[in-house]
Amino acid sequence: MTETKTAEDMVAEADTGARQASPIAMQLIFALCITWSLFQLYIASKLPGVLAQATGVSEFANIVAQARFVHLAFAIVLATLAFPILGHRNRIPVYDWILAALGTAACLYLVIFRFEIADRPGLWNTTDIVMSGIGMIVLMIAVYRSLGLPLVIIASLFLALAFFGGYSEWVGSVTNYGGASFSKAMGHYWMQTEGIFGVALGVSTSMIFLFVLFGALLEKAGGGNWFIKVAIALLGTLRGGPAKAAVLSSMMTGMISGSSIANTVTTGTFTIPLMKRIGFSSEKAGAVEVASSTNGQLTPPVMGAAAFLMVEYVNIPYIEVIKHAFLPAVISYIALLYIVHLESLKLRLEGLKKPGRHIGILMILILFLTGFLGMAAITFLVVGFRAMLEPLMPDATIYPALVLLGLAYLLLVFLASRFPDLKIDDPNDKVVSAPRLTPTFLGGAYFALPIFVLVWNLMVRTEHLDRLSPALSAFWATIAMIIVALTHRPLKAMFRGESEFANQTVAGFRDFVSGLESGARNMIGIGVATGAAGIIVGTISLTGAHQIIGQVIEIISGGNLMILLILVAILSLILGMGLPTTANYIVVSSLMAPVIVSVGAQSGLIVPLIAVHMFVFYFGILADDTPPVGLAAYAAAAISRGDPIMTGVQGFAYDIRTALLPFMFIFNTDLLLIDVGPLKAVMVFFISLIAMLVFAAVTQGYFIARNRRWEAVVMLLIVFMLFRPDFFLNQWQDQYTEHTGSSAITAIGDIESGTDARITVSAPDFDTGIVGSKTIVLTPEEAGSGLDRLQAAGLTVMESDGLLLLEEPFPGTPYFESLGNEYDFYGDEPAQIVMVQIENDRMPKELFFIPALILLGFIIALQSRRMTQAAF
């Protein structure tokens, strides 16, 4: 299949390495991949500590602390050997061997001489600087090989700022940065954990690799094909069924995939030809797959590995990141399914034929609900089982739970053995039909068990059970996946009474080894990208570069938050072009997140940090299908034989509904389930879903019938009323009562404990001296006077001539970071509290849902008269 080969070549060039050298060289690359995967499993396990204790050799355990240096060494060597440069695709030239050796030496230098380096912190000698320079050069070449020019250019610009920014008066006036010597900069970037070997590479080492390896093992064992076939069995017979199946299967594979491009090819190889067969154009078929695959990077639990970086950057627990990301991702995917349905209606398409009974929409919803409730019931039963055993087996209930897991696995494999093995179908066959659901689902249901292990470890917590860290959760899920990959084939042969037990055992081992290799290859780009992204983060910590970008964007936007958000969205799209998901998020969050927080606070809008990071992450991801660089669009076009630019344009048109969500959850944090209870969460989900489906209908120009222009305007008003009901309430009733002077202090003392008071502070900027304002939130927990409550939060206030003068917060107090590091409290202009706002007791904003839903009913009634075909 030429189409598949072309697409796979694109994945190799972009993600896994396209070198096809001599057999010996390829065997070396293969061995390095296997070794890297085994090394990552080793450092994630308890084995280092056990070996160190058993042998008395501390190096077995010490290597865990040095793992990020080894991690980058593997990534650089494999990038150098697996990705050709200057056209040498069929051999590895001498200079590549030299570069690989130099990269390894530069990384392992930090391991071998770590004690000597620790004895002279900051006092770098000539060897330190030479090795740092070599490491930086080899890393940048590796990034160019595996990821192309975009990240190299961005990192080079930041390096130029570090070296030459001190010569610019403007840069100096904004950041107070006086420049850095070559020795200081190299030491900052390479010899310590402020740059290359910082948070991003640490997360890549400890967490991202394991999740990528888990996904690779699942795919090689047959789990990816199972996802696709179950999706086709569920949705294939519906109107435009293959396109809907593409959305569902891409969501399932995208949840655990680290790459939009690989996700596009994995599912698109089968679904794109099917979409073309039922009537989708080449560009629309590719665009559906692109939109589905890129959105997979927004879906928990992995989110293209960005979820783990958010834990570090936002400083909240992993389970909170998942909670905040869940609702927008689900709404986005349901809206994409609806867009595909509307396209099918406009084209009057049909679904695939299927033997046996067809499954309708209602039955599909019932199956999804039953599956969800079934998993919840199993979870509660296991929790209850372990709680019952806890008094008898304190801290040891894991062992009977593992027995239950093993029995469930054997039962599911036995059921699978009653049906034919799931084969990878050829979508170009003359006759393609949707498979039956029951044999398809049961034929691979055991693939869900490792995913269950992953989700259990990440999310379940009771009185006797603690959640595991993301790294440990991924490790145990990967171990479960390894067991499945090694045993499911021979077990099925044994249950069937076949004589193929030995051959199937060998096949299972090959799947395992292939998964190890694929996991390492998939990590090459991520490994070097997180290292290179450390240059950007390191430059920001060295120079305060984010202030420069912040000031430029703030000047252009004129302090208008909406204009600022649009500018940040555009810049996030530009910066995200050509970058993998992980590097993309690091770059845009490091540069753009502080700007939104700062300008939002100046405008009086308190934006939660997680909302800001989700905003820039969403727009960075959308760059994967945005022309002219959108790599996922090129991969889809290679399969569909369509125009890649038009595929990207159409994909972005489908993703407009995703682009709406970030703006919504900046202004309405209910979408991120921030301070939202269970009942309200259900209401938020359904209302937001209705709003998103209506918006999708506007973008497609079709609802129940083709939209008229005035209907589209009314529908946009409905969307706005559902997403921003507080906007209309604010026009009706004031949200806050404003207090100044002594009445502001009185107001703070009068509010109940646990109630928010919004405090607007005016002070000169620490760097420029320009007086600016910022809004902070004070939530007093104890009763007392206003001054006492302020003092308890570290804010010392003195009244003078009607002014509330504010002293600099002390280090360690809640507002030191947000005020003390930003404003000058000893300048000519005093720092002061200019206003305190207390929220009024108002009617619920949700009442504005009622007129919106009435308007929606009116539109439905009008369009139903013009219907020419059934809506579903």
Side-chain angles (χ1 to χ4, degrees), residues 571-596:
L571 281 173
S572 297
L573 285 171
I574 294 171
L575 289 172
M577 289 182 183
L579 297 184
T581 302
T582 312
N584 179 342
Y585 168 67
I586 296 169
V587 172
V588 295
S589 64
S590 300
L591 296 177
M592 301 302 169
V595 180
I596 298 177

Side-chain angles (χ1 to χ4, degrees), residues 585-634:
Y585 168 67
I586 296 169
V587 172
V588 295
S589 64
S590 300
L591 296 177
M592 301 302 169
V595 180
I596 298 177
V597 172
S598 174
V599 175
Q602 292 173 21
S603 304
L605 180 66
I606 308 299
V607 186
L609 193 56
I610 183 63
V612 175
H613 278 254
M614 290 287 289
F615 181 93
V616 296
F617 175 59
Y618 263 58
F619 279 102
I621 291 301
L622 289 179
D624 275 352
D625 59 12
T626 306
V629 183
L631 299 179
Y634 279 86

Side-chain angles (χ1 to χ4, degrees), residues 365-548:
L365 293 175
I366 292 173
L367 287 173
F368 270 109
L369 183 61
T370 302
F372 177 78
L373 293 177
M375 292 300 292
I378 292 171
T379 301
F380 282 116
L381 286 173
V382 175
V383 168
F385 174 72
R386 293 186 63 174
M388 181 180 67
L389 292 179
E390 185 65 30
L392 304 175
M393 307 173 62
D395 300 324
T397 58
I398 183 63
Y399 301 109
L402 288 176
V403 172
L404 279 181
L405 182 67
L407 292 174
Y409 173 58
L410 291 175
L411 174 62
L412 289 175
V413 173
F414 173 77
L415 290 175
S417 69
R418 302 298 94 187
F419 302 100
D421 287 338
L422 300 177
K423 299 186 183 302
I424 299 176
D425 295 326
D426 185 350
N428 296 310
D429 285 343
K430 291 184 179 180
V431 178
V432 178
S433 61
R436 294 185 60 195
L437 179 59
T438 300
T440 302
F441 178 77
L442 293 179
Y446 53 85
F447 287 122
L449 285 178
I451 300 174
F452 178 78
V453 171
L454 176 65
V455 174
W456 172 283
N457 287 331
L458 286 172
M459 298 189 177
V460 175
R461 184 178 66 179
T462 67
E463 180 183 354
H464 303 292
L465 298 174
D466 284 329
R467 297 187 189 102
L468 297 185
S469 68
L472 268 180
S473 299
F475 172 75
W476 289 116
T478 303
I479 295 299
M481 191 62 241
I482 289 172
I483 293 171
V484 171
L486 288 171
T487 63
H488 76 105
R489 292 179 184 273
L491 281 174
K492 281 193 287 187
M494 182 182 71
F495 288 137
R496 289 169 180 161
E498 298 173 347
S499 59
E500 294 290 314
F501 183 85
N503 291 337
Q504 293 299 328
T505 300
V506 172
F509 183 76
R510 285 176 179 165
D511 289 343
F512 164 61
V513 173
S514 180
L516 292 180
E517 181 193 13
S518 179
R521 281 185 172 271
N522 291 339
M523 273 300 300
I524 296 172
I526 296 175
V528 296
T530 49
I535 295 174
I536 297 163
V537 177
T539 303
I540 290 173
S541 65
L542 183 67
T543 67
H546 63 283
Q547 298 177 41
I548 301 171

Side-chain angles (χ1 to χ4, degrees), residues 602-739:
Q602 292 173 21
S603 304
L605 180 66
I606 308 299
V607 186
L609 193 56
I610 183 63
V612 175
H613 278 254
M614 290 287 289
F615 181 93
V616 296
F617 175 59
Y618 263 58
F619 279 102
I621 291 301
L622 289 179
D624 275 352
D625 59 12
T626 306
V629 183
L631 299 179
Y634 279 86
I639 300 171
S640 70
R641 297 298 189 185
D643 180 84
I645 299 297
M646 292 309 299
T647 299
V649 170
Q650 186 65 59
F652 188 75
Y654 290 153
D655 268 340
I656 288 177
R657 96 268 175 229
T658 302
L660 175 69
L661 279 171
F663 287 96
M664 292 300 101
F665 54 60
I666 284 287
F667 293 101
N668 182 7
T669 57
D670 288 352
L671 278 170
L672 299 180
L673 300 181
I674 296 176
D675 298 327
V676 170
L679 291 178
K680 187 176 181 181
V682 173
M683 183 187 69
V684 168
F685 169 73
F686 283 107
I687 292 295
S688 301
L689 179 59
I690 292 171
M692 186 56 69
L693 295 183
V694 174
F695 181 75
V698 173
T699 63
Q700 293 303 300
Y702 196 102
F703 188 29
I704 296 174
R706 293 196 178 275
N707 300 332
R708 292 171 177 163
R709 291 183 180 178
W710 71 267
E711 290 176 338
V713 172
V714 174
M715 290 163 73
L716 286 175
L717 175 63
I718 293 169
V719 172
F720 188 74
M721 291 175 72
L722 293 177
F723 271 131
R724 286 290 314 276
D726 56 320
F727 175 83
F728 298 94
L729 180 58
N730 292 342
Q731 312 307 311
W732 183 267
Q733 295 177 328
D734 290 334
Q735 185 174 4
Y736 301 103
T737 298
E738 298 178 354
H739 303 270

Side-chain angles (χ1 to χ4, degrees), residues 761-786:
V761 175
S762 171
D765 185 88
F766 188 82
D767 296 310
T768 65
I770 299 174
V771 176
S773 63
K774 186 170 190 174
T775 301
I776 60 175
V777 176
L778 172 69
T779 309
E781 299 297 336
E782 302 293 336
S785 68

